[in-house]
Amino acid sequence: MKPYRFTAFESTGELILEETWKYENDEEAKQKGEAVIEEKGFANKTHRLVNSSGKLVLFHV
């Protein structure tokens, strides 16, 4: 399992949440990450999910 960093922001740029999630690969991170984001109520907030190399896996403005 590899670490992925999730961050969510208010429209003002204020950080709401920053967590580390673990997934097997980028594809799993994208699929399962979207479900977790929806579950946590951040789907309509600015957010991003990046892998340990800094590659952007998910992004929403």
Side-chain angles (χ1 to χ4, degrees):
M1 302 278 286
K2 300 174 189 172
Y4 288 79
R5 178 63 97 190
F6 173 75
T7 49
F9 303 90
E10 289 290 355
S11 58
T12 61
E14 178 185 351
L15 179 67
I16 301 172
L17 180 69
E18 186 170 30
E19 293 183 339
T20 300
W21 300 343
K22 294 194 180 235
Y23 298 107
E24 288 294 326
N25 55 48
D26 289 356
E27 186 173 321
E28 179 185 42
K30 185 174 182 178
Q31 292 174 353
K32 291 185 177 178
E34 286 177 335
V36 174
I37 291 165
E38 184 72 35
E39 179 182 302
K40 289 181 176 269
F42 293 116
N44 293 320
K45 298 285 186 182
T46 299
H47 61 265
R48 66 182 174 212
L49 183 64
V50 297
N51 66 17
S52 59
S53 299
K55 178 183 173 193
L56 195 59
V57 177
L58 287 173
F59 181 72
H60 175 77
V61 178

